[in-house]
Amino acid sequence: HQSNPSAWSTSRTSSRLVATNASAPAERQRASARSCTAVSLLDAIGRSIVDTGTRLEAISEGERAEKVVFVIITDGQENASREFTHAKVMASIKHQSEKYAREFVFLGANQDAIQVGAAIGLKAGNSMTYAANAMGTADAFDSTSKNLVSMRCGVPSMLYSQYDRYSLPSSG
């Protein structure tokens, strides 16, 4: 079963964690009208970047999150985006990373997440493949959570370690 990706942006404002999902109700309705295997991954990422930027612009600079991390999670491969292309998403990620020091992480189930992440401009260390089962998902989320905690304690990026990669159950 493949579903639409959840492109979540997570940020800290004061001591509050904020998470938003790019797959808004209108997108879910459009997606349900398409095949159940349609994945608008690029559209979800692109809209998440735009929506997060709009939300942050509306907040005074002193109240904005110090760090914004986009965690992109999917169990399907891009095959249905209509608004955003690989080049447009890659340019947006590059701009957000360079201008605003935003971090991007890609978790892909049962696929080469490093290759898919590279296609949108992510460093190999910021992408991880996981098994699309309860254990694989829990381990991937645990690794991501630990990386977020480390960032809050001063580690400069969300790079996954070799331990994270090899401790996850095989997807095959």
Side-chain angles (χ1 to χ4, degrees):
H1 170 265
Q2 293 178 341
S3 60
N4 278 335
S6 293
W8 291 86
S9 57
T10 307
S11 61
R12 182 173 67 91
T13 305
S14 303
S15 60
R16 185 176 58 159
L17 188 65
V18 179
T20 60
N21 186 343
S23 297
E27 169 57 22
R28 285 192 293 260
Q29 285 179 338
R30 285 192 300 274
S32 67
R34 293 185 232 144
S35 167
C36 64
T37 60
V39 177
S40 302
L41 180 62
L42 299 174
D43 286 348
I45 296 167
R47 276 194 294 277
S48 182
I49 293 169
V50 170
D51 292 348
T52 299
T54 301
R55 255 192 358 270
L56 291 173
E57 285 175 356
I59 301 170
S60 69
E61 195 166 327
E63 295 293 317
R64 282 187 204 146
E66 295 171 18
K67 191 72 173 172
V68 176
V69 177
F70 290 84
V71 179
I72 304 159
I73 306 165
T74 187
D75 65 349
Q77 295 187 4
E78 167 58 49
N79 63 12
S81 289
R82 296 188 172 129
E83 182 180 354
F84 289 87
T85 63
H86 279 93
K88 192 172 181 181
V89 168
M90 185 183 285
S92 293
I93 288 173
K94 182 178 181 184
H95 174 76
Q96 295 293 316
S97 298
E98 291 176 357
K99 184 169 183 177
Y100 303 109
R102 294 189 176 142
E103 284 280 327
F104 289 82
V105 172
F106 182 81
L107 298 173
N110 300 334
Q111 60 188 278
D112 186 342
I114 293 173
Q115 181 182 26
V116 175
I120 58 172
L122 299 185
K123 296 175 269 186
N126 283 50
S127 298
M128 188 167 59
T129 299
Y130 69 98
N133 58 40
M135 187 175 184
T137 302
D139 286 347
F141 286 12
D142 184 56
S143 292
T144 302
S145 177
K146 287 176 184 174
N147 283 353
L148 284 167
V149 169
S150 293
M151 277 192 78
R152 288 182 138 186
C153 294
V155 174
S157 72
M158 288 286 296
L159 295 176
Y160 290 101
S161 70
Q162 290 302 321
Y163 175 80
D164 291 325
R165 294 177 190 292
Y166 293 112
S167 67
L168 291 176
S170 169
S171 61

